[in-house]
Amino acid sequence: MEQFIEWIKQPWPWYVAGPMIGLTVPALLILGNKTFGISSSLRHICAACVPAGIPFFTYNWKKEAWNLLFVLGVGIGGFLATNFLANPDTIVISVDTQNDLATLGITDFSDLMPAEIFSWENLFSAKGLLFFVFGGFLVGFGTRYAGGCTSGHAIMGISSLQWPSVIATIFFMIGGFLMTHVLMEPLMKLVGF
């Protein structure tokens, strides 16, 4: 059992994790003609909890209860992995990336997310407003506008040959590259990095 725990604590190589993620698509389709995606679960939660009669939330959300259980499992799995299965080794980040981030004031690579951005002290600051509130709004708006999130489009949509998912994924990638190489530095300087 101890060997299993040590094995599961290690990062899994792409050739193991990738096929496991990829095989969820045919499994979901074969087992119940279900589609994979995380962002739709927020709609299901709102449909279950908000009795306002809003047409967008008026549907049989109970048919999608499996999706809510999946998201609950993701949350529980994340908690267990962070608190009991964390890899004690230092996060491996290329030297070039570390140097690029250091020019932006990000130097603490001891955890999964940079402490200079993701800390309780930053939550109620200009950084927090920009990264958490405005960034969260943009992610939510983009997800709704694109009709789904990256997992739904890039994993499920492309594998089931849906053209809108290909387009959405292309624009997700363009947005990521644009943010990384053009907008990140000015935004970091704007909020005082």
Side-chain angles (χ1 to χ4, degrees), residues 4-6 8-10 77 79-88:
F4 175 74
I5 296 294
E6 285 306 312
I8 206 164
K9 282 183 175 183
Q10 303 305 312
F79 174 81
L80 292 174
T82 301
N83 292 294
F84 302 108
L85 299 173
N87 185 345

Side-chain angles (χ1 to χ4, degrees), residues 70-123:
F70 177 79
V71 171
L72 180 65
V74 168
I76 291 170
F79 174 81
L80 292 174
T82 301
N83 292 294
F84 302 108
L85 299 173
N87 185 345
D89 298 336
T90 305
I91 305 296
V92 179
I93 301 173
S94 78
V95 175
D96 290 341
T97 302
Q98 288 184 26
N99 292 335
D100 288 345
L101 290 173
T103 63
L104 299 175
I106 299 172
T107 56
D108 183 0
F109 305 110
S110 61
D111 211 346
L112 289 175
M113 297 181 292
E116 288 92 354
I117 297 174
F118 297 98
S119 67
W120 289 108
E121 294 82 34
N122 287 338
L123 191 58

Side-chain angles (χ1 to χ4, degrees), residues 99-183:
N99 292 335
D100 288 345
L101 290 173
T103 63
L104 299 175
I106 299 172
T107 56
D108 183 0
F109 305 110
S110 61
D111 211 346
L112 289 175
M113 297 181 292
E116 288 92 354
I117 297 174
F118 297 98
S119 67
W120 289 108
E121 294 82 34
N122 287 338
L123 191 58
F124 299 106
S125 67
K127 293 179 209 176
L129 182 66
L130 179 69
F131 287 107
F132 303 125
V133 178
F134 185 66
F137 171 78
L138 287 177
V139 168
F141 176 79
T143 299
R144 179 69 189 114
Y145 188 73
C149 60
T150 51
S151 61
H153 281 299
I155 298 170
M156 187 75 194
I158 290 177
S159 64
S160 58
L161 305 176
Q162 295 180 27
W163 180 245
S165 291
V166 172
I167 299 213
T169 303
I170 288 169
F171 279 94
F172 292 151
M173 295 302 293
I174 290 171
F177 291 136
L178 183 69
M179 182 65 190
T180 301
H181 297 290
V182 177
L183 298 174

